């Protein structure tokens, strides 16, 4: 049976002259598989009609490349961004949110606000109205009860939900009627939009997970065979390798999604992923291309695709240790009880800020994938402070150190009373970061501050293992550098790394197994008061002011040196239209129902 | 007899050779003979010259060629080789020649020191096992087996994780790590040498000239080092020269994992690693460090080849 015969058969099949089963039987008779018919079917379909944004499933197969492979598809048990993205093809949240903090309804019928009365004036509750008549991918109806169940699932500590943090302030979730649900909060909060919105807010079907709340959660078949209200459902899943999705037959919009099948392939590294989407065109979409700008630029010349960027990839910043990493106190280094010999001096810190060439780092190493910034809080854009400036001034930095009384020794390193301005500067192994280290080190060298560079395997550096001295939380060096993402339009979790209301809990130390996140060990009452106030300030304008003031406090005190406001970077094929999918507070696949081939 | 032990040739009493009285000439020694044979080995001489030039360049180079290894200049980023930058520049605009010269010091030093270490340990273990036999042999060879079966990379990671900070504090960041790397690489590469030496000892120690030496009352150490060892040296030297290359590469593996020298120290292995993403845009970034590693390893191999021929006591001049 030649190719022509195969296409004839495919045409017969399309025209309904023979049934699919008959066709497969004929194929089997000549030793071909059903797959070859499938490819003949798609290959011989009329070109333009298929390429145009036709009806459901008309655009064929969509291939996504994730260099970190998805391992679990339950969005509330996700082990990382890639798992959220993989789950978001199946499951949806009540609302989605963009970089400026604007909301749009997904499963909700409208966006709650104070104006429409759905957000309580006292900040204690929010009421959602849900879209009506929606069905799960198995045909069961979607109701407010599923929202209630999702809360029960996440809030049970035994479940070990990774999204737990977004739901700690929720007191109750009550179904008012099948399409209305009311959420009440433990304490009045302006952040009504933290639960059930974006990445952390995807709704689970009660009927699929009812028996799996608590310690049994990891055994649910749903975790590998996820489905939801979203456009796709899982067909086959090989954890750590490949997810194949098929269309959810009950998806609410009959004209969507455009692709009949989605393959999400894992593995490789960021550079090879960039090549696959931009240079060779093997994949339609490649996620998270953390590649040095000159390299990425070179790959993009392949011409098969385009680089996508979006605000809110987090801020790459330097943290200056306020405790002494070389002194052992109570069996640990970097103890709050031992202040740092020179980084506690505000003038030294200011000088280090001035001698950090952020503009060069941003332009040369990040290009369009990051901007130099003086702010630690940059996203949502409404919370970015306008009072700060990126300054690079070696002369002024030298002057500051002179004023502080540090004089240059014969080796060019400044010192005062036997305290030399030298230390260790650590970050994770990543060629981009190692270059940033070199640029920072060169700048600081010019003002007589000597740094020894250290790079630690990312798996160790970002781990939370209490026994490993090389983690960012132990911070057994003088300076360290990494990026933290924003996560939510309410920056409470993000700014918590400077909050030390309860030092025993907030500062990482032996006594709490290094579980705190205030890694600089900077204790500042002004900041703590602002932070406490912001948790309860209901007026949006005042709330914004508080966050901006907190940012300015950190920047003025220079306990951290923000370097680059990074962007999220992915790539898509020229033939693919993904719409506005790049957003900091939701997953890049949030609008996959709208993805289509360009005409 | 196929093998005339050098000791006999060198220490034969002059009385047996009456013509020596009439034609006086310098006494021949084992090392003198070896040197003469080595000089006649052209590739070995070429290898030795190249290696000496390379080593000299890395030692003297940074003193003469005074360009900073860490001077960043984005205007000259990824510039191809030119008069200003003979080896071109890398993506940060740092001069590649300066980095290659400076990095060569460390790479060559690591390679040679680690090789010396593994050969010394391996030879001692193998010689003792082969010479004394019985329980000593059993014990030492089981130790060797244990070391051979240890997965070296995880062990490297563990050792470096445990001792890096301590050593860095004792000897300074660069020197402390240098010794750690040398000890770790050398300490995990001696096993093949030990086996080779043991096998050689087992074969040679039964030969007649050893029996003769023993019956003449030659001491144990003398038997080992003066009579047997020279006869088993050739395979050892081959494996030693090969291990120089693998030590240079092992060091770059450690740098790659963030466990070697500080990330801004431009060893050859790291330079090569850093350049991998720029192969299509700036091939010179990979070319020069790669060429240096290649030259160093190749020349050491030829030297080893020549040494093997020269030191083989069975080959008469």
């Amino acid at each position: 049976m030649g190719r022509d015969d195969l296409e004839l058969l495919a045409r017969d099949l399309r025209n309904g002259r023979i049934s699919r089963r008959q066709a497969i039987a004929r194929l089997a008779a000549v030793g071909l598989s059903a797959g070859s018919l499938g490819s003949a079917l798609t290959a011989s379909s009329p070109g333009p009609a298929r390429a145009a944004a036709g009806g459901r499933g008309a655009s064929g197969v969509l291939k996504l490349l994730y260099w970190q492979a998805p391992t679990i598809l339950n969005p509330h048990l996700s082990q990382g961004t890639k798992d959220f993205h993989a789950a978001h093809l199946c499951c949806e949240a009540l609302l989605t949110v963009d970089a400026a903090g604007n909301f749009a309804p997904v499963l909700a019928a409208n966006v709650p606000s104070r104006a429409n009365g759905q957000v309580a004036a006292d900040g204690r509750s929010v009421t959602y109205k849900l879209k009506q008549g929606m069905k799960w991918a198995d045909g069961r109806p979607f109701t407010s009860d599923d929202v209630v169940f999702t809360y029960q699932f996440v809030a049970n500590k035994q479940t070990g939900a990774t999204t737990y943090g977004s739901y700690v302030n929720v007191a109750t979730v009550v179904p008012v009627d099948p399409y209305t649900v009311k959420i009440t909060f433990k304490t009045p909060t302006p952040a009504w939009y933290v639960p059930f919105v974006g990445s952390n807010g995807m709704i689970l079907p009660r009927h699929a997970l009812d028996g799996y709340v608590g310690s049994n959660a990891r055994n649910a078949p749903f975790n590998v065979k996820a489905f939801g209200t979203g456009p796709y459902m899982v067909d086959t899943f090989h954890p750590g390798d490949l997810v194949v999705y098929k269309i959810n037959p009950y998806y609410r919009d009959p004209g969507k999604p455009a692709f009949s099948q989605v393959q999400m392939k894992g593995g490789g590294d960021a550079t090879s992923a960039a090549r696959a989407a931009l240079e060779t065109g093997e994949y339609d979409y490649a996620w998270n291309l953390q590649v040095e700008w000159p390299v990425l630029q070179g790959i993009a010349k392949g011409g098969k695709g385009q680089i996508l960027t979006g605000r809110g990839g987090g801020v790459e910043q330097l943290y200056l240790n306020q405790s002494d990493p070389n002194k052992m106190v109570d069996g640990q280094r970097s103890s709050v009880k031992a202040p740092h010999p020179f980084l506690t001096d505000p003038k030294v810190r200011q000088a280090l800020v001035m001698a950090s060439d952020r503009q060069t780092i941003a332009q040369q190493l990040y290009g369009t994938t990051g901007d130099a910034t003086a702010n630690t809080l940059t996203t949502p854009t409404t919370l970015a402070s306008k009072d700060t400036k990126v300054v690079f001034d070696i002369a002024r930095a030298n002057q500051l150190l002179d004023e502080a009384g540090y004089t240059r020794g014969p080796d060019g390193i400044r010192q005062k009373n036997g305290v030399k301005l030298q230390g260790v500067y650590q970050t994770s192994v990543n060629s981009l970061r190692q270059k940033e280290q070199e640029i920072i080190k060169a700048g600081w060298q010019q003002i007589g501050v000597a740094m020894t560079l250290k790079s630690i395997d990312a798996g160790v550096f970002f781990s939370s293992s209490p026994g490993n001295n090389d983690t960012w939380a132990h911070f057994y060096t003088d300076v360290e550098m990494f990026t933290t993402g924003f996560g939510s339009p309410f920056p409470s979790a993000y700014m918590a790394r400077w909050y030390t209301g309860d030092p025993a809990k907030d500062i990482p130390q032996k006594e709490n197994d290094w579980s705190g996140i205030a890694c600089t060990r900077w204790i500042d009452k002004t900041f703590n008061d602002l932070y406490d106030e912001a948790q309860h300030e209901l007026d949006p304008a005042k709330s914004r002011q508080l966050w901006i003031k907190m940012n300015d406090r950190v920047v003025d005190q220079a306990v951290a040196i923000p370097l680059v406001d990074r962007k999220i970077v992915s790539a898509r094929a020229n033939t693919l239209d993904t719409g506005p999918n790049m957003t900091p507070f939701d997953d890049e696949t949030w609008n996959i129902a709208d993805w289509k081939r360009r005409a | 007899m196929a093998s005339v032990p050098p000791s006999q040739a060198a220490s034969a009493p002059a009385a047996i050779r009456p013509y020596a009285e009439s034609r006086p000439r310098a006494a021949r020694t084992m090392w003198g003979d070896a040197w003469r044979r080595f000089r006649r080995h052209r590739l070995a001489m070429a290898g030795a010259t190249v290696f000496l030039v390379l080593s000299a360049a890395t030692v003297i180079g940074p003193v003469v060629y005074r360009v900073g290894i860490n001077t960043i200049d984005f205007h000259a980023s990824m510039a191809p080789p030119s008069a200003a930058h003979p080896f071109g520049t890398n993506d940060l605009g740092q001069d590649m020649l300066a980095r290659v010269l400076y990095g060569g010091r460390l790479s060559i030093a690591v390679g040679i020191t680690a090789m010396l270490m593994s050969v010394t340990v391996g030879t001692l273990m193998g010689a003792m096992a082969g010479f004394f036999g019985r329980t000593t042999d059993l014990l030492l060879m089981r130790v060797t087996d244990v070391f051979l079966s240890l997965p070296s990379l995880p062990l490297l990671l563990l050792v470096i994780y445990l001792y890096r900070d301590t050593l860095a504090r004792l000897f300074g960041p660069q020197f402390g790590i240098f010794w750690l790397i040398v000890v770790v690489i050398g300490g995990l590469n001696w096993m093949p040498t030990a086996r080779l030496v043991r096998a050689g000892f087992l074969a040679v120690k039964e030969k007649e000239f050893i029996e003769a030496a023993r019956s003449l009352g030659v001491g144990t150490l003398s038997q080992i080092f003066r009579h047997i060892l020279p006869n088993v040296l050739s395979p050892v030297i081959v494996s030693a020269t090969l291990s120089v290359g693998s030590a240079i590469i092992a060091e770059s593996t450690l740098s790659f994992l963030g466990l070697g020298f500080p990330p801004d120290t431009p060893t050859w292995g790291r330079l090569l690693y850093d350049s991998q993403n720029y192969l299509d845009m700036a091939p010179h970034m990979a070319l020069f460090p790669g060429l240096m590693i290649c030259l160093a390893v190749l020349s050491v191999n030829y030297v080893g080849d020549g040494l093997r021929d020269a030191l083989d006591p069975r080959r008469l001049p």
Side-chain angles (χ1 to χ4, degrees):
Chain A
M1 191 179 234
R3 173 129 200 105
D4 292 346
D5 298 331
L6 198 63
E7 284 185 3
L8 267 176
L9 188 62
R11 200 182 306 152
D12 283 351
L13 180 60
R14 258 199 311 279
N15 298 342
R17 238 173 273 157
I18 56 170
S19 75
R20 196 169 181 92
R21 182 173 298 187
Q22 280 171 320
I24 292 171
R26 276 196 219 174
L27 281 173
V30 291
L32 287 173
S33 71
S36 54
L37 179 66
S39 57
L41 269 171
T42 34
S44 57
S45 309
R50 184 174 63 96
R56 174 175 283 193
S59 296
V61 179
L62 173 68
K63 288 171 135 186
L64 315 175
L65 181 59
Y66 275 59
W67 55 271
Q68 288 173 24
T71 50
I72 192 164
L73 299 177
N74 184 325
H76 292 280
L77 302 177
S78 290
Q79 295 300 308
T81 313
K82 34 115 187 167
D83 293 331
F84 281 112
H85 286 206
H88 218 133
L89 272 77
C90 308
C91 300
E92 294 171 307
L94 297 185
L95 303 176
T96 184
V97 56
D98 69 9
N102 300 316
F103 299 96
V106 181
L107 290 178
N110 64 347
V111 177
S113 67
R114 284 198 198 190
N116 65 20
Q118 289 174 237
V119 176
D122 63 357
R124 284 191 173 273
S125 70
V126 58
T127 307
Y128 281 100
K129 292 195 163 60
L130 306 178
K131 284 185 180 146
Q132 304 202 0
M134 292 220 295
K135 287 199 167 75
W136 294 100
D138 58 357
R140 304 265 206 115
F142 163 80
T143 65
S144 57
D145 187 46
D146 294 304
V147 180
V148 175
F149 171 75
T150 302
Y151 172 67
Q152 288 165 353
F153 182 85
V154 175
N156 187 323
K157 272 208 162 157
Q158 302 294 319
T159 303
T162 48
T163 51
Y164 181 80
S166 299
Y167 296 83
V168 279
N169 196 29
V170 176
T172 59
V173 179
V174 186
V176 177
D177 64 54
Y179 297 108
T180 311
V181 61
K182 184 176 178 185
I183 299 154
T184 58
F185 298 106
K186 288 173 186 159
T187 55
T189 176
W192 57 268
Y193 46 81
V194 170
F196 301 114
V197 175
S199 292
N200 291 348
M202 285 182 252
I203 307 299
L204 302 171
R206 179 191 280 275
H207 61 276
L209 282 160
D210 217 2
Y212 297 97
V213 181
S215 52
N216 199 18
R218 306 252 154 201
N219 303 326
F222 179 87
N223 299 345
V224 290
K225 206 80 182 167
F227 65 91
T229 51
Y232 294 98
M233 59 196 286
V234 175
D235 189 2
T236 55
F237 176 37
H238 304 284
D241 179 29
L242 177 73
V243 200
V244 179
Y245 301 87
K246 58 186 177 191
I247 294 177
N248 164 7
Y250 293 95
Y251 186 62
R252 55 185 174 273
D253 187 334
K256 289 174 184 171
F259 296 94
S260 58
Q261 191 187 57
V262 181
Q263 298 174 3
M264 185 182 274
K265 174 78 181 156
D269 57 70
T271 312
S272 55
R275 286 191 198 285
L278 295 168
E279 206 170 66
T280 64
E282 291 164 88
Y283 284 87
D284 295 309
Y285 194 85
W287 160 82
N288 194 16
L289 306 179
Q290 295 171 7
V291 182
E292 291 142 75
W293 176 240
V295 178
L296 190 59
Q297 213 178 7
I299 294 174
K301 286 189 187 127
K304 289 272 168 58
Q306 60 195 114
I307 299 169
L308 293 176
T309 59
R311 283 194 72 90
V315 173
E316 176 95 337
Q317 47 195 324
L318 291 174
Y319 296 85
L320 307 181
N321 199 342
Q322 298 301 296
S323 64
D324 191 340
N326 298 316
K327 200 177 274 176
M328 196 69 114
V329 181
D330 303 337
Q332 57 190 310
R333 286 149 61 192
S334 289
S335 159
V336 194
K337 291 176 191 155
H340 195 278
F342 59 87
L343 286 176
T344 40
D345 185 334
K347 282 201 167 144
V348 173
R349 298 200 301 260
Q350 287 295 352
L352 294 180
V353 175
M354 302 243 175
S356 305
D357 193 352
R358 304 180 251 204
Q359 209 70 52
T360 300
I361 291 177
Q363 280 169 7
Q364 301 293 338
L365 302 181
Y366 284 87
T368 61
T369 67
D371 302 319
T373 180
N375 289 329
T376 182
L377 181 58
T378 61
T379 318
T381 42
T382 44
L383 299 185
S385 170
K386 294 180 178 63
D387 307 330
T388 54
K389 267 207 296 282
V390 174
V391 184
F392 176 58
D393 189 345
I394 294 286
R396 176 82 188 110
N398 267 317
Q399 197 185 335
L400 276 169
L401 289 179
D402 288 339
E403 284 168 20
Y406 289 89
T407 50
R408 277 184 199 264
D411 50 359
I413 303 173
R414 285 178 187 267
Q415 55 168 18
K416 181 166 93 172
N417 307 331
V419 176
K420 275 188 151 190
L421 296 189
Q422 60 184 13
V424 180
Y425 168 11
Q426 72 178 4
T427 188
S428 68
V429 174
N430 173 317
S431 55
L432 183 63
R433 291 222 162 97
Q434 265 74 76
K435 279 165 197 157
E436 291 175 64
Q437 279 184 310
E438 285 199 48
I439 294 174
I440 295 287
K441 178 181 170 173
W444 290 6
Q445 214 157 26
Q446 293 185 52
I447 59 167
V449 178
M451 282 289 145
T452 304
L453 305 185
K454 183 174 171 186
S455 56
I456 299 158
D457 181 73
V460 172
F461 186 63
F462 293 112
S463 79
S464 49
S465 116
N468 203 321
N469 293 342
D470 279 340
T471 69
W472 66 272
H474 280 72
F475 202 175
Y476 279 7
T477 61
D478 303 271
V479 180
E480 68 181 358
M481 174 172 76
F482 57 89
T483 295
T484 325
F486 300 104
S488 162
F490 189 67
S492 172
Y494 179 81
M495 294 301 273
R497 65 197 55 254
W498 288 282
Y499 177 71
T500 50
D502 177 6
K505 173 173 149 290
D506 297 324
I507 292 177
Q509 53 198 287
K510 196 175 161 196
E511 287 72 19
N512 60 19
D513 275 342
W514 285 276
S515 66
I517 62 165
C519 62
T520 58
R521 280 93 167 147
W522 174 62
I523 300 177
D524 185 61
K525 193 169 177 315
T526 315
F527 182 92
N528 291 347
D529 289 347
L530 288 168
Y531 187 88
D532 284 331
E533 201 183 334
Q535 300 302 314
H536 310 295
E537 179 54 63
L538 297 179
D539 181 70
K542 280 189 191 155
S543 172
R544 275 199 292 276
Q545 278 313 308
L546 285 171
W547 292 115
I548 290 171
K549 272 188 199 159
M550 269 180 257
N551 170 76
D552 292 352
R553 179 75 186 163
V554 171
V555 172
D556 287 344
Q557 290 296 307
V559 282
I561 309 176
L563 301 174
V564 178
D565 183 14
R566 290 171 57 176
K567 291 180 184 164
I568 44 177
V569 186
S570 293
R572 68 177 171 207
N574 287 331
T575 56
L576 183 68
D577 179 6
T578 58
N581 74 311
M582 303 296 277
T583 155
F585 305 123
D586 208 338
D587 303 318
E588 286 169 31
T589 49
W590 72 274
N591 65 342
I592 196 149
D594 302 330
W595 291 22
K596 55 179 185 264
R597 291 273 172 223
R598 279 175 209 280
Chain B
M1 201 172 80
S3 56
V4 176
S7 52
Q8 291 175 355
S11 61
I16 306 176
R17 298 191 216 156
Y19 59 85
E21 307 273 335
S22 53
R23 272 197 296 156
R25 63 193 231 193
R28 283 172 58 193
T29 60
M30 181 182 105
W31 296 109
D33 282 351
W35 172 235
R36 209 161 339 108
R37 273 177 298 209
F38 185 78
R39 259 186 326 194
R40 255 180 269 148
H41 196 300
R42 283 192 187 169
L43 274 176
M45 283 309 283
T49 317
V50 168
F51 192 73
L52 280 179
V53 168
L54 269 184
S55 311
T58 57
V59 173
I60 305 165
V63 183
V64 181
Y65 186 73
R66 300 189 68 90
V67 176
I69 56 163
N70 285 330
T71 315
I72 295 168
D73 175 14
F74 278 107
H75 299 295
S77 146
M78 288 192 270
S82 64
H85 303 286
F87 280 12
T89 60
N90 68 2
D91 51 318
L92 294 182
Q94 296 162 330
D95 186 79
M96 285 300 283
L97 177 58
R99 291 170 78 78
V100 165
L101 287 176
Y102 182 87
R105 282 186 188 182
L106 282 172
S107 288
I108 292 179
V110 165
I112 299 287
T113 326
M115 177 270 281
L116 287 179
M117 163 132 186
S118 68
V119 167
T120 313
V121 176
T123 308
L124 280 180
M125 296 287 271
M128 286 203 295
F131 187 81
F132 295 111
R134 296 165 195 269
T135 325
T136 320
D137 183 24
L138 193 79
L139 218 72
L140 291 179
M141 281 303 109
R142 291 305 79 75
V143 171
T144 312
D145 288 344
V146 167
F147 268 86
L148 269 175
S149 59
L150 284 176
S152 55
L153 201 59
L155 192 72
L156 274 175
L157 302 186
L158 185 73
V159 170
I160 289 182
Y161 170 70
L162 288 177
Y163 300 112
R164 175 166 65 178
D165 289 351
T166 324
L167 281 170
R169 230 170 299 149
L170 286 178
F171 301 107
Q174 225 168 56
F175 207 57
I177 286 170
F178 175 79
W179 280 113
L180 191 62
I181 288 175
V182 163
V183 167
V184 157
I185 294 177
L188 289 173
N189 277 329
W190 56 268
M191 296 81 76
T193 316
R195 287 192 159 177
L196 283 173
V197 173
R198 172 180 173 271
F201 263 68
L202 287 179
V204 175
K205 84 171 175 186
E206 304 300 335
K207 291 262 163 74
E208 292 85 349
F209 71 91
I210 300 297
E211 276 174 31
R214 202 176 300 144
S215 55
L216 280 171
V218 175
T220 312
L221 282 181
S222 196
Q223 279 182 47
I224 294 179
F225 291 107
R226 200 171 163 80
H227 297 278
I228 308 182
L229 194 57
N231 285 287
V232 299
L233 220 48
S234 33
V236 173
I237 285 168
V238 176
S239 83
T241 53
L242 288 176
S243 76
V244 173
S246 66
I248 292 179
I249 302 297
E251 186 279 319
S252 65
T253 312
L254 289 180
S255 298
F256 172 61
L257 293 169
L259 292 165
F261 293 100
D264 55 336
T265 310
T267 62
W268 287 345
R270 175 163 278 280
L271 289 177
L272 203 55
Y273 164 64
D274 283 345
S275 64
Q276 62 175 359
N277 279 333
Y278 298 93
L279 274 179
D280 48 347
M281 286 174 270
H284 64 269
M285 276 172 66
L287 193 68
F288 290 108
L291 197 67
M292 291 301 138
I293 294 180
C294 180
L295 275 179
V297 173
L298 206 62
S299 61
V300 171
N301 273 340
Y302 279 129
V303 172
D305 211 26
L307 276 180
R308 191 196 56 201
D309 291 351
L311 288 177
D312 188 346
R314 278 163 291 195
R315 287 175 60 142
L316 287 169

